Amino acid sequence: MERTSACRGLATLTAATALLAAGAASAHPHMWIDARAQIDIDAQQRITAVRQVWLFDEMFGAYATQGLKKGKDGSLPADTLHGMAQDWMKALGEPISHYFTRVTVGGKTAAFAAPRDARVDWNPKTTRLTLSFTLPLAEPAAPGAEGAQVDIYDPTYFVAYAFDEKGAVSLGGPQGAPCTSAYRKPKELDWKTMQQLAAIPADPDALPDELFAITKGLTHRIEVRCPPPGAQAG
């Protein structure tokens, strides 16, 4: 049940890439995203939201905009970009898919409120699309003594994220300064597993259970810690 819902969560977004990959050499992943994440902290040093920016690869951008009406400079109309943002956020919004983002505090997964500030930008020179959005927590959550974990990943390994740009992970908000964040990359896959993934067709549902169990652990983790109230005084 969880796996099926997670696969469907990005169906609208990955359909174009699946078609593209079907005509090319099969390999997982099929979509690459250069990502940025900012965790907002409020005055009570609680996590209030996760702001994200996903810059999609050129191949996806070229295919996703194929056939769309463009300006002479290659630009896309504002209403087209607005429609993309709405469609993509709806596809990502299944509760189990959780926008491929999970915030864990005290061993419990925090719920998100409705996303806001969703927008899609298009760069005709680089043929790259960018999706930006904010995921507010339904209730602000204090990291506590053990800290909080923000995980960003696609358990089907259909989408590969990278947080390689300088400052790709940051803290924001009125009380972000005293808090700290530590980013941990996913573990490296061994050659045998990579070969097995490469042999699978461009279909999220085609990932065998044993490989799904492995790729589910390929998470980009951000550890957030804040000093206890009053600790930074004096």
mmCIF file with all atom_site columns, all heavy atoms in Angstrom, residues 37-42 46-49 51 170-177 179:
data_model
loop_
_atom_site.group_PDB
_atom_site.id
_atom_site.type_symbol
_atom_site.label_atom_id
_atom_site.label_alt_id
_atom_site.label_comp_id
_atom_site.label_asym_id
_atom_site.label_entity_id
_atom_site.label_seq_id
_atom_site.pdbx_PDB_ins_code
_atom_site.Cartn_x
_atom_site.Cartn_y
_atom_site.Cartn_z
_atom_site.occupancy
_atom_site.B_iso_or_equiv
_atom_site.pdbx_formal_charge
_atom_site.auth_seq_id
_atom_site.auth_comp_id
_atom_site.auth_asym_id
_atom_site.auth_atom_id
_atom_site.pdbx_PDB_model_num
ATOM 1   N N   . ALA A 1 37  ? 17.231 23.298 0.131  1.00 0.00 ? 37  ALA A N   1
ATOM 2   C CA  . ALA A 1 37  ? 16.246 23.203 1.209  1.00 0.00 ? 37  ALA A CA  1
ATOM 3   C C   . ALA A 1 37  ? 16.603 24.184 2.317  1.00 0.00 ? 37  ALA A C   1
ATOM 4   O O   . ALA A 1 37  ? 17.762 24.267 2.741  1.00 0.00 ? 37  ALA A O   1
ATOM 5   C CB  . ALA A 1 37  ? 16.180 21.787 1.766  1.00 0.00 ? 37  ALA A CB  1
ATOM 6   N N   . GLN A 1 38  ? 15.601 24.926 2.756  1.00 0.00 ? 38  GLN A N   1
ATOM 7   C CA  . GLN A 1 38  ? 15.765 25.825 3.896  1.00 0.00 ? 38  GLN A CA  1
ATOM 8   C C   . GLN A 1 38  ? 14.745 25.456 4.951  1.00 0.00 ? 38  GLN A C   1
ATOM 9   O O   . GLN A 1 38  ? 13.547 25.385 4.677  1.00 0.00 ? 38  GLN A O   1
ATOM 10  C CB  . GLN A 1 38  ? 15.573 27.290 3.497  1.00 0.00 ? 38  GLN A CB  1
ATOM 11  C CG  . GLN A 1 38  ? 15.644 28.250 4.690  1.00 0.00 ? 38  GLN A CG  1
ATOM 12  C CD  . GLN A 1 38  ? 15.407 29.690 4.293  1.00 0.00 ? 38  GLN A CD  1
ATOM 13  O OE1 . GLN A 1 38  ? 16.189 30.257 3.542  1.00 0.00 ? 38  GLN A OE1 1
ATOM 14  N NE2 . GLN A 1 38  ? 14.321 30.288 4.784  1.00 0.00 ? 38  GLN A NE2 1
ATOM 15  N N   . ILE A 1 39  ? 15.219 25.212 6.168  1.00 0.00 ? 39  ILE A N   1
ATOM 16  C CA  . ILE A 1 39  ? 14.330 24.878 7.281  1.00 0.00 ? 39  ILE A CA  1
ATOM 17  C C   . ILE A 1 39  ? 14.108 26.146 8.088  1.00 0.00 ? 39  ILE A C   1
ATOM 18  O O   . ILE A 1 39  ? 15.058 26.763 8.582  1.00 0.00 ? 39  ILE A O   1
ATOM 19  C CB  . ILE A 1 39  ? 14.927 23.765 8.168  1.00 0.00 ? 39  ILE A CB  1
ATOM 20  C CG1 . ILE A 1 39  ? 15.009 22.445 7.404  1.00 0.00 ? 39  ILE A CG1 1
ATOM 21  C CG2 . ILE A 1 39  ? 14.069 23.546 9.401  1.00 0.00 ? 39  ILE A CG2 1
ATOM 22  C CD1 . ILE A 1 39  ? 16.281 22.227 6.660  1.00 0.00 ? 39  ILE A CD1 1
ATOM 23  N N   . ASP A 1 40  ? 12.848 26.560 8.206  1.00 0.00 ? 40  ASP A N   1
ATOM 24  C CA  . ASP A 1 40  ? 12.511 27.786 8.929  1.00 0.00 ? 40  ASP A CA  1
ATOM 25  C C   . ASP A 1 40  ? 12.319 27.507 10.420 1.00 0.00 ? 40  ASP A C   1
ATOM 26  O O   . ASP A 1 40  ? 11.652 26.534 10.801 1.00 0.00 ? 40  ASP A O   1
ATOM 27  C CB  . ASP A 1 40  ? 11.236 28.411 8.365  1.00 0.00 ? 40  ASP A CB  1
ATOM 28  C CG  . ASP A 1 40  ? 11.490 29.142 7.052  1.00 0.00 ? 40  ASP A CG  1
ATOM 29  O OD1 . ASP A 1 40  ? 12.671 29.296 6.670  1.00 0.00 ? 40  ASP A OD1 1
ATOM 30  O OD2 . ASP A 1 40  ? 10.513 29.559 6.407  1.00 0.00 ? 40  ASP A OD2 1
ATOM 31  N N   . ILE A 1 41  ? 12.884 28.377 11.238 1.00 0.00 ? 41  ILE A N   1
ATOM 32  C CA  . ILE A 1 41  ? 12.802 28.270 12.698 1.00 0.00 ? 41  ILE A CA  1
ATOM 33  C C   . ILE A 1 41  ? 12.105 29.521 13.234 1.00 0.00 ? 41  ILE A C   1
ATOM 34  O O   . ILE A 1 41  ? 12.441 30.639 12.834 1.00 0.00 ? 41  ILE A O   1
ATOM 35  C CB  . ILE A 1 41  ? 14.209 28.167 13.332 1.00 0.00 ? 41  ILE A CB  1
ATOM 36  C CG1 . ILE A 1 41  ? 15.048 27.082 12.648 1.00 0.00 ? 41  ILE A CG1 1
ATOM 37  C CG2 . ILE A 1 41  ? 14.097 27.917 14.836 1.00 0.00 ? 41  ILE A CG2 1
ATOM 38  C CD1 . ILE A 1 41  ? 14.560 25.680 12.846 1.00 0.00 ? 41  ILE A CD1 1
ATOM 39  N N   . ASP A 1 42  ? 11.133 29.345 14.151 1.00 0.00 ? 42  ASP A N   1
ATOM 40  C CA  . ASP A 1 42  ? 10.423 30.510 14.682 1.00 0.00 ? 42  ASP A CA  1
ATOM 41  C C   . ASP A 1 42  ? 11.082 31.036 15.957 1.00 0.00 ? 42  ASP A C   1
ATOM 42  O O   . ASP A 1 42  ? 12.147 30.553 16.381 1.00 0.00 ? 42  ASP A O   1
ATOM 43  C CB  . ASP A 1 42  ? 8.937  30.196 14.890 1.00 0.00 ? 42  ASP A CB  1
ATOM 44  C CG  . ASP A 1 42  ? 8.681  29.211 16.027 1.00 0.00 ? 42  ASP A CG  1
ATOM 45  O OD1 . ASP A 1 42  ? 9.644  28.835 16.741 1.00 0.00 ? 42  ASP A OD1 1
ATOM 46  O OD2 . ASP A 1 42  ? 7.514  28.800 16.201 1.00 0.00 ? 42  ASP A OD2 1
ATOM 47  N N   . ARG A 1 46  ? 11.322 26.570 17.050 1.00 0.00 ? 46  ARG A N   1
ATOM 48  C CA  . ARG A 1 46  ? 10.602 25.418 16.554 1.00 0.00 ? 46  ARG A CA  1
ATOM 49  C C   . ARG A 1 46  ? 10.654 25.431 15.026 1.00 0.00 ? 46  ARG A C   1
ATOM 50  O O   . ARG A 1 46  ? 10.627 26.493 14.400 1.00 0.00 ? 46  ARG A O   1
ATOM 51  C CB  . ARG A 1 46  ? 9.148  25.437 17.018 1.00 0.00 ? 46  ARG A CB  1
ATOM 52  C CG  . ARG A 1 46  ? 8.960  25.475 18.524 1.00 0.00 ? 46  ARG A CG  1
ATOM 53  C CD  . ARG A 1 46  ? 7.485  25.669 18.886 1.00 0.00 ? 46  ARG A CD  1
ATOM 54  N NE  . ARG A 1 46  ? 6.960  26.923 18.330 1.00 0.00 ? 46  ARG A NE  1
ATOM 55  C CZ  . ARG A 1 46  ? 5.686  27.319 18.462 1.00 0.00 ? 46  ARG A CZ  1
ATOM 56  N NH1 . ARG A 1 46  ? 4.828  26.555 19.129 1.00 0.00 ? 46  ARG A NH1 1
ATOM 57  N NH2 . ARG A 1 46  ? 5.279  28.458 17.943 1.00 0.00 ? 46  ARG A NH2 1
ATOM 58  N N   . ILE A 1 47  ? 10.692 24.250 14.452 1.00 0.00 ? 47  ILE A N   1
ATOM 59  C CA  . ILE A 1 47  ? 10.640 24.153 12.993 1.00 0.00 ? 47  ILE A CA  1
ATOM 60  C C   . ILE A 1 47  ? 9.224  24.460 12.539 1.00 0.00 ? 47  ILE A C   1
ATOM 61  O O   . ILE A 1 47  ? 8.258  23.875 13.038 1.00 0.00 ? 47  ILE A O   1
ATOM 62  C CB  . ILE A 1 47  ? 11.055 22.742 12.527 1.00 0.00 ? 47  ILE A CB  1
ATOM 63  C CG1 . ILE A 1 47  ? 12.509 22.471 12.898 1.00 0.00 ? 47  ILE A CG1 1
ATOM 64  C CG2 . ILE A 1 47  ? 10.857 22.585 11.017 1.00 0.00 ? 47  ILE A CG2 1
ATOM 65  C CD1 . ILE A 1 47  ? 12.959 21.054 12.589 1.00 0.00 ? 47  ILE A CD1 1
ATOM 66  N N   . THR A 1 48  ? 9.109  25.391 11.607 1.00 0.00 ? 48  THR A N   1
ATOM 67  C CA  . THR A 1 48  ? 7.780  25.776 11.127 1.00 0.00 ? 48  THR A CA  1
ATOM 68  C C   . THR A 1 48  ? 7.516  25.372 9.685  1.00 0.00 ? 48  THR A C   1
ATOM 69  O O   . THR A 1 48  ? 6.366  25.200 9.288  1.00 0.00 ? 48  THR A O   1
ATOM 70  C CB  . THR A 1 48  ? 7.578  27.294 11.241 1.00 0.00 ? 48  THR A CB  1
ATOM 71  O OG1 . THR A 1 48  ? 8.572  27.964 10.439 1.00 0.00 ? 48  THR A OG1 1
ATOM 72  C CG2 . THR A 1 48  ? 7.691  27.748 12.688 1.00 0.00 ? 48  THR A CG2 1
ATOM 73  N N   . ALA A 1 49  ? 8.579  25.236 8.872  1.00 0.00 ? 49  ALA A N   1
ATOM 74  C CA  . ALA A 1 49  ? 8.375  24.931 7.456  1.00 0.00 ? 49  ALA A CA  1
ATOM 75  C C   . ALA A 1 49  ? 9.668  24.455 6.820  1.00 0.00 ? 49  ALA A C   1
ATOM 76  O O   . ALA A 1 49  ? 10.768 24.712 7.336  1.00 0.00 ? 49  ALA A O   1
ATOM 77  C CB  . ALA A 1 49  ? 7.853  26.158 6.708  1.00 0.00 ? 49  ALA A CB  1
ATOM 78  N N   . ARG A 1 51  ? 11.327 24.901 3.115  1.00 0.00 ? 51  ARG A N   1
ATOM 79  C CA  . ARG A 1 51  ? 11.252 25.542 1.804  1.00 0.00 ? 51  ARG A CA  1
ATOM 80  C C   . ARG A 1 51  ? 12.176 24.796 0.840  1.00 0.00 ? 51  ARG A C   1
ATOM 81  O O   . ARG A 1 51  ? 13.341 24.555 1.182  1.00 0.00 ? 51  ARG A O   1
ATOM 82  C CB  . ARG A 1 51  ? 11.666 27.016 1.887  1.00 0.00 ? 51  ARG A CB  1
ATOM 83  C CG  . ARG A 1 51  ? 10.823 27.836 2.853  1.00 0.00 ? 51  ARG A CG  1
ATOM 84  C CD  . ARG A 1 51  ? 11.360 29.270 2.931  1.00 0.00 ? 51  ARG A CD  1
ATOM 85  N NE  . ARG A 1 51  ? 10.629 30.045 3.925  1.00 0.00 ? 51  ARG A NE  1
ATOM 86  C CZ  . ARG A 1 51  ? 9.554  30.772 3.657  1.00 0.00 ? 51  ARG A CZ  1
ATOM 87  N NH1 . ARG A 1 51  ? 9.109  30.828 2.404  1.00 0.00 ? 51  ARG A NH1 1
ATOM 88  N NH2 . ARG A 1 51  ? 8.934  31.448 4.609  1.00 0.00 ? 51  ARG A NH2 1
ATOM 89  N N   . SER A 1 170 ? 20.158 25.119 4.396  1.00 0.00 ? 170 SER A N   1
ATOM 90  C CA  . SER A 1 170 ? 20.308 26.265 5.284  1.00 0.00 ? 170 SER A CA  1
ATOM 91  C C   . SER A 1 170 ? 19.163 26.324 6.282  1.00 0.00 ? 170 SER A C   1
ATOM 92  O O   . SER A 1 170 ? 18.150 25.631 6.147  1.00 0.00 ? 170 SER A O   1
ATOM 93  C CB  . SER A 1 170 ? 20.363 27.566 4.477  1.00 0.00 ? 170 SER A CB  1
ATOM 94  O OG  . SER A 1 170 ? 19.146 27.769 3.766  1.00 0.00 ? 170 SER A OG  1
ATOM 95  N N   . LEU A 1 171 ? 19.337 27.188 7.294  1.00 0.00 ? 171 LEU A N   1
ATOM 96  C CA  . LEU A 1 171 ? 18.299 27.467 8.274  1.00 0.00 ? 171 LEU A CA  1
ATOM 97  C C   . LEU A 1 171 ? 17.846 28.910 8.092  1.00 0.00 ? 171 LEU A C   1
ATOM 98  O O   . LEU A 1 171 ? 18.654 29.786 7.770  1.00 0.00 ? 171 LEU A O   1
ATOM 99  C CB  . LEU A 1 171 ? 18.810 27.262 9.703  1.00 0.00 ? 171 LEU A CB  1
ATOM 100 C CG  . LEU A 1 171 ? 19.298 25.856 10.059 1.00 0.00 ? 171 LEU A CG  1
ATOM 101 C CD1 . LEU A 1 171 ? 19.796 25.833 11.505 1.00 0.00 ? 171 LEU A CD1 1
ATOM 102 C CD2 . LEU A 1 171 ? 18.204 24.828 9.862  1.00 0.00 ? 171 LEU A CD2 1
ATOM 103 N N   . GLY A 1 172 ? 16.557 29.164 8.290  1.00 0.00 ? 172 GLY A N   1
ATOM 104 C CA  . GLY A 1 172 ? 16.027 30.512 8.141  1.00 0.00 ? 172 GLY A CA  1
ATOM 105 C C   . GLY A 1 172 ? 15.018 30.809 9.228  1.00 0.00 ? 172 GLY A C   1
ATOM 106 O O   . GLY A 1 172 ? 14.787 30.008 10.131 1.00 0.00 ? 172 GLY A O   1
ATOM 107 N N   . GLY A 1 173 ? 14.401 31.985 9.142  1.00 0.00 ? 173 GLY A N   1
ATOM 108 C CA  . GLY A 1 173 ? 13.429 32.379 10.142 1.00 0.00 ? 173 GLY A CA  1
ATOM 109 C C   . GLY A 1 173 ? 14.046 33.272 11.200 1.00 0.00 ? 173 GLY A C   1
ATOM 110 O O   . GLY A 1 173 ? 15.261 33.459 11.254 1.00 0.00 ? 173 GLY A O   1
ATOM 111 N N   . PRO A 1 174 ? 13.219 33.817 12.084 1.00 0.00 ? 174 PRO A N   1
ATOM 112 C CA  . PRO A 1 174 ? 13.692 34.799 13.072 1.00 0.00 ? 174 PRO A CA  1
ATOM 113 C C   . PRO A 1 174 ? 14.677 34.252 14.098 1.00 0.00 ? 174 PRO A C   1
ATOM 114 O O   . PRO A 1 174 ? 15.444 35.017 14.671 1.00 0.00 ? 174 PRO A O   1
ATOM 115 C CB  . PRO A 1 174 ? 12.397 35.264 13.756 1.00 0.00 ? 174 PRO A CB  1
ATOM 116 C CG  . PRO A 1 174 ? 11.417 34.166 13.520 1.00 0.00 ? 174 PRO A CG  1
ATOM 117 C CD  . PRO A 1 174 ? 11.757 33.617 12.168 1.00 0.00 ? 174 PRO A CD  1
ATOM 118 N N   . GLN A 1 175 ? 14.666 32.950 14.347 1.00 0.00 ? 175 GLN A N   1
ATOM 119 C CA  . GLN A 1 175 ? 15.567 32.384 15.361 1.00 0.00 ? 175 GLN A CA  1
ATOM 120 C C   . GLN A 1 175 ? 16.406 31.245 14.799 1.00 0.00 ? 175 GLN A C   1
ATOM 121 O O   . GLN A 1 175 ? 16.756 30.303 15.510 1.00 0.00 ? 175 GLN A O   1
ATOM 122 C CB  . GLN A 1 175 ? 14.759 31.897 16.570 1.00 0.00 ? 175 GLN A CB  1
ATOM 123 C CG  . GLN A 1 175 ? 14.136 33.016 17.403 1.00 0.00 ? 175 GLN A CG  1
ATOM 124 C CD  . GLN A 1 175 ? 15.183 33.895 18.038 1.00 0.00 ? 175 GLN A CD  1
ATOM 125 O OE1 . GLN A 1 175 ? 16.247 33.428 18.417 1.00 0.00 ? 175 GLN A OE1 1
ATOM 126 N NE2 . GLN A 1 175 ? 14.893 35.187 18.133 1.00 0.00 ? 175 GLN A NE2 1
ATOM 127 N N   . GLY A 1 176 ? 16.750 31.322 13.531 1.00 0.00 ? 176 GLY A N   1
ATOM 128 C CA  . GLY A 1 176 ? 17.547 30.254 12.937 1.00 0.00 ? 176 GLY A CA  1
ATOM 129 C C   . GLY A 1 176 ? 19.007 30.284 13.341 1.00 0.00 ? 176 GLY A C   1
ATOM 130 O O   . GLY A 1 176 ? 19.679 29.257 13.362 1.00 0.00 ? 176 GLY A O   1
ATOM 131 N N   . ALA A 1 177 ? 19.528 31.471 13.682 1.00 0.00 ? 177 ALA A N   1
ATOM 132 C CA  . ALA A 1 177 ? 20.963 31.629 13.930 1.00 0.00 ? 177 ALA A CA  1
ATOM 133 C C   . ALA A 1 177 ? 21.516 30.725 15.036 1.00 0.00 ? 177 ALA A C   1
ATOM 134 O O   . ALA A 1 177 ? 22.568 30.112 14.862 1.00 0.00 ? 177 ALA A O   1
ATOM 135 C CB  . ALA A 1 177 ? 21.280 33.095 14.224 1.00 0.00 ? 177 ALA A CB  1
ATOM 136 N N   . CYS A 1 179 ? 20.569 27.894 16.022 1.00 0.00 ? 179 CYS A N   1
ATOM 137 C CA  . CYS A 1 179 ? 20.420 26.479 15.686 1.00 0.00 ? 179 CYS A CA  1
ATOM 138 C C   . CYS A 1 179 ? 21.469 26.059 14.656 1.00 0.00 ? 179 CYS A C   1
ATOM 139 O O   . CYS A 1 179 ? 22.089 26.895 13.999 1.00 0.00 ? 179 CYS A O   1
ATOM 140 C CB  . CYS A 1 179 ? 19.014 26.201 15.145 1.00 0.00 ? 179 CYS A CB  1
ATOM 141 S SG  . CYS A 1 179 ? 17.683 26.675 16.279 1.00 0.00 ? 179 CYS A SG  1
#
